[in-house]
Amino acid sequence: MSEPADRRYGPATLPRSRGPLSAAVVEALRRPPYDLPADLGIDLDPADPIVDEDLQLTLFLCYELHYRGWLGVDESWEWQPSLLALRARCERIFEAALRRLVGVPSVPAAGVPAGLAELVAADDGPALAAWLQRRADLAQFREFVAHRSVYHLREADPHSWALPRLGGPAKAALVEIQTDEYGNGRLDRMHAELFRRTLDRLGVDTSYGAHVEVAPAVTLATNNLMSLFGLHRRLRGALLGHLAAFEMTSSLPNRRYGNGLRRLGFDEVATRFFDEHVEADAVHEQIAAHDMCGGLVGVEPALACDVLFGAAAALAVDRLFAAHLLDSWAAGRSSLRAPAPPAPPPTVPLVVLPAVAPPALV
């Protein structure tokens, strides 16, 4: 299959593997669909699943088949039963680790909106936004947007999985939020397109999935979390809680990101993505907590704990992400993985020319 000229919108290029499991999946995806070994991944038991490179890349490889797909990969892999079975094994490990990380959030007497507000107020994660506003250099800001591009170039898509699974007030509220995320149907106002302009201004590759190769496990985990919630109807409450946590913790950090870019001398084209979220998410915060999540549990009260679990998981994994960046920079190293080595030059076969006798002397 020839590579398309315009790589902005996908599909993404398959990344290198990061362990035996992701190696098996990458190798499989390069071939027409077939049945994977039934025991593939059955003994997988990583010490810390949320930051395990092999596990998180394997999940990302599987999940991306439900988004834009992988360049050159047969689209029939999306629903191949043995690959779905492998994904399910990885998901069980990932979800169990998330539940150990955040526990079982309790629902206060005042209800889910109050519980969400309490989670957000208690969040004491690393001050990544403050660092980017006041101290980050251009190289660090470029790294930050490379990490975030894995999500922002498909912004809102994971949460849209909830739309056909909802009805009533929660669905109406989600549609209102998503309509803004998708620019009210205008390409130039879609948040993914605004972020692409930010990448371009910073001199960072704007192609869809361009930075998956260098994104560490914790970055992939922030994305896999949304896909896990979005692709399982039983986790629809967690998906809405995740989105609510996003919206309720967005305005101030985005103001700081925009100010950080202005400090580095960038113009309004570079900062528009962040500036847009300062205003939009201040409104979305109330819609998400009260109309969307409150509306959901008003119809389905049994999902209250799931909503708070999704919000708590979003905040906890984002804290791990922020800590990784700040710890890397404090140690004087990149927060990204090493890029793939350049392809070796093509081997030119040695051509042995026949011997030629020297001309005779006259």
Side-chain angles (χ1 to χ4, degrees):
M1 181 183 296
S2 61
E3 185 168 333
D6 188 343
R7 294 295 317 285
R8 288 177 297 171
Y9 304 119
T13 301
L14 274 172
R16 290 174 296 167
S17 61
R18 302 182 189 179
L21 193 59
S22 57
V25 174
V26 168
E27 176 60 27
L29 293 178
R30 295 188 190 282
R31 299 165 55 187
Y34 65 94
D35 287 335
L36 300 174
D39 61 350
L40 186 60
I42 202 164
D43 296 324
L44 187 65
D45 186 25
D48 191 345
I50 297 173
V51 294
D52 186 83
E53 298 288 348
D54 199 24
L55 174 70
Q56 292 299 331
L57 180 58
T58 298
L59 278 171
F60 195 89
L61 289 166
C62 293
Y63 286 145
E64 183 56 35
L65 295 168
H66 300 285
Y67 292 98
R68 315 284 176 81
W70 297 108
L71 186 65
V73 171
D74 190 316
E75 294 181 350
S76 297
W77 272 113
E78 180 181 7
W79 298 110
Q80 208 288 329
S82 63
L83 185 61
L84 293 177
L86 172 62
R87 193 190 91 188
R89 283 195 283 275
C90 294
E91 286 177 326
R92 285 192 289 270
I93 294 170
F94 184 35
E95 184 177 347
L98 293 168
R99 293 189 182 277
R100 288 193 300 270
L101 180 64
V102 304
V104 181
S106 59
V107 181
V112 162
L116 290 168
E118 287 179 12
L119 281 174
V120 169
D123 185 48
D124 57 352
L128 176 61
W131 177 279
L132 288 163
Q133 178 184 3
R134 298 170 185 159
R135 302 183 61 182
D137 59 25
L138 179 55
Q140 291 169 343
F141 227 111
R142 282 175 170 154
E143 285 188 16
F144 171 69
V145 297
H147 283 282
R148 288 304 198 194
S149 71
V150 180
Y151 167 66
H152 285 313
L153 290 181
R154 66 180 184 201
E155 182 162 346
D157 291 350
H159 298 109
S160 291
W161 291 113
L163 287 169
R165 293 167 176 167
L166 301 173
K171 184 167 192 165
L174 179 57
V175 168
E176 183 174 357
I177 292 171
Q178 298 298 81
T179 299
D180 281 350
E181 301 289 343
Y182 291 125
N184 289 283
R186 286 183 49 183
L187 177 65
D188 64 316
R189 294 176 57 184
M190 288 177 63
H191 290 182
E193 290 301 308
L194 297 181
F195 194 77
R196 180 170 279 109
R197 289 182 213 150
T198 297
L199 291 172
D200 184 62
R201 275 293 200 264
L202 269 65
V204 178
D205 192 340
T206 66
S207 303
Y208 178 81
H211 306 288
V212 171
E213 174 70 41
V214 295
V218 70
T219 302
L220 299 183
T222 64
N223 289 272
N224 289 338
L225 181 63
M226 290 178 259
S227 298
L228 171 68
F229 292 164
L231 288 169
H232 290 276
R233 184 178 180 278
R234 67 179 177 86
L235 293 171
R236 63 195 180 280
L239 182 63
L240 296 196
H242 184 287
L243 178 56
F246 254 30
E247 302 296 342
M248 296 172 74
T249 57
S250 176
S251 290
L252 179 57
N254 278 291
R255 184 185 302 278
R256 288 175 169 168
Y257 302 148
N259 287 340
L261 284 178
R262 280 182 276 271
R263 172 179 58 83
L264 292 170
F266 286 92
D267 62 9
E268 66 275 7
V269 175
T271 66
R272 187 182 171 192
F273 172 85
F274 301 116
D275 297 340
E276 176 82 10
H277 283 74
V278 173
E279 215 171 295
D281 291 350
V283 176
H284 290 174
E285 174 180 351
Q286 298 302 315
I287 298 171
H290 294 274
D291 302 334
M292 185 179 70
C293 291
L296 175 69
V297 299
V299 174
E300 299 185 84
L303 297 182
C305 287
D306 286 351
V307 171
L308 295 183
F309 163 64
L315 296 171
V317 175
D318 203 57
R319 283 196 297 271
L320 296 176
F321 167 78
H324 169 75
L325 268 66
L326 291 175
D327 289 348
S328 298
W329 295 338
R333 63 176 183 268
S334 173
S335 61
L336 297 169
R337 291 169 55 82
T347 302
V348 179
L350 179 64
V351 179
V352 180
L353 299 175
V356 178
L361 297 177
V362 177

